[in-house]
Amino acid sequence: MRKIRTEEVFSFKGSWKTPAVLQYTRVDLDTLLDLDVLPSQVDYSLLFEDLTVAQEPNAHPRHQVLTKDEMPKPGTLVAIDAEFVALQQEETEIRSDGTKSLIRPSTLTLARVSVLRGNDGPKHQVPFIDDYIATSEPIVDYLTEFSGIVAGDLDRNQSKHTLVPLKMAYKKLRLLVDLGCIFIGHGLNKDFRIISKFVLWEKKKGMVVTDGSIDILVP
């Protein structure tokens, strides 16, 4: 056994190297699974409920969740802003010539995401999502100067905000993407890249239009 480069693993130039996929299926799988019980429609209830895992959340939050008659549709404008905290600081070294080399980049995780109504209406610009993200991982830097996040904001026992698990925040955003919402914000490429392991709109073949000061995500 010898160590090889990643590029060699994914290279199939040689005729002897043929990509293959093996799939194993239980012969009695059909008798074990009842697919009729699976839901046939997408559950959008997360967008209409203000769920939180905080022990003592604010009884009067600044955001107002969507009502069912505000159900987003293709072309619905929403404005989004995201804040992050650092789980790991970047690691650098100074070379002999005085230049700095990045050894390991910082690791950021989503700490807060806010989404505002963008279309005209009585609640124009009123946020309907203002979620802080619960985490049990040690945070090395709250980046308070930029994020406004302070110690305790992401703690279930101390937070006074709407606190949700990371997967729930992901799902809300994915629902909005799949509904065809147009996102407006700053640095959307970077924000969505950090928010999720995969780019949320990649499957939708969307694009980000920017004028240098504001981005528009068109799904």
Side-chain angles (χ1 to χ4, degrees):
M1 181 181 294
R2 65 186 178 88
K3 188 175 182 180
I4 60 175
R5 295 177 294 110
T6 304
E7 294 78 7
E8 187 175 346
V9 175
F10 293 101
S11 174
F12 299 99
K13 294 180 180 178
S15 59
W16 61 273
K17 211 172 182 182
T18 304
V21 176
L22 298 178
Q23 179 176 335
Y24 297 89
T25 304
R26 287 185 57 151
V27 294
D28 58 346
L29 184 63
D30 292 338
T31 62
L32 298 175
L33 296 179
D34 182 8
L35 301 181
D36 293 333
V37 300
L38 296 177
S40 58
Q41 295 182 336
V42 178
D43 181 9
Y44 295 104
S45 61
L46 276 180
L47 298 176
F48 310 124
E49 299 175 330
D50 190 27
L51 303 174
T52 180
V53 296
Q55 297 297 318
E56 298 181 6
N58 187 345
H60 304 287
R62 289 179 292 180
H63 65 285
Q64 299 177 28
V65 296
L66 294 175
T67 59
K68 291 188 177 179
D69 59 355
E70 293 180 289
M71 182 73 176
K73 55 184 180 296
T76 296
L77 290 175
V78 296
I80 184 171
D81 186 37
E83 305 296 345
F84 306 93
V85 294
L87 301 179
Q88 177 178 277
Q89 296 281 26
E90 74 174 20
E91 186 176 332
T92 60
E93 68 175 1
I94 305 299
R95 298 192 183 99
S96 58
D97 60 1
T99 59
K100 186 168 67 172
S101 174
L102 179 64
I103 298 176
R104 183 180 63 188
S106 62
T107 301
L108 301 179
T109 187
L110 182 65
R112 181 183 181 184
V113 59
S114 303
V115 186
L116 285 69
R117 296 166 173 86
N119 290 342
D120 293 333
K123 296 182 180 179
H124 178 58
Q125 296 185 352
V126 175
F128 60 91
I129 294 176
D130 188 20
D131 290 344
Y132 287 68
I133 314 305
T135 180
S136 58
E137 296 187 66
I139 297 172
V140 299
D141 191 346
Y142 286 92
L143 304 173
T144 305
E145 180 182 354
F146 309 102
S147 69
I149 307 294
V150 297
D153 282 346
L154 311 182
D155 188 312
R156 298 167 187 254
N157 298 317
Q158 301 181 50
S159 181
K160 302 298 182 183
H161 307 287
T162 296
L163 198 64
V164 303
L166 185 59
K167 287 185 178 180
M168 184 180 294
Y170 281 178
K171 186 172 182 180
K172 289 183 182 181
L173 295 178
R174 187 65 200 230
L175 288 174
L176 295 177
V177 170
D178 289 342
L179 285 168
C181 290
I182 296 177
F183 290 82
I184 299 175
H186 296 279
L188 292 185
N189 266 324
K190 178 182 177 182
D191 283 357
F192 274 87
R193 187 170 62 250
I194 301 174
I195 285 173
S196 183
K197 301 295 184 188
F198 58 95
V199 180
L200 283 171
W201 61 84
E202 184 177 5
K203 186 177 180 181
K204 306 292 289 185
K205 298 182 179 179
M207 61 179 178
V208 172
V209 182
T210 179
D211 67 358
S213 60
I214 190 169
D215 295 341
I216 303 175
L217 168 62
V218 183

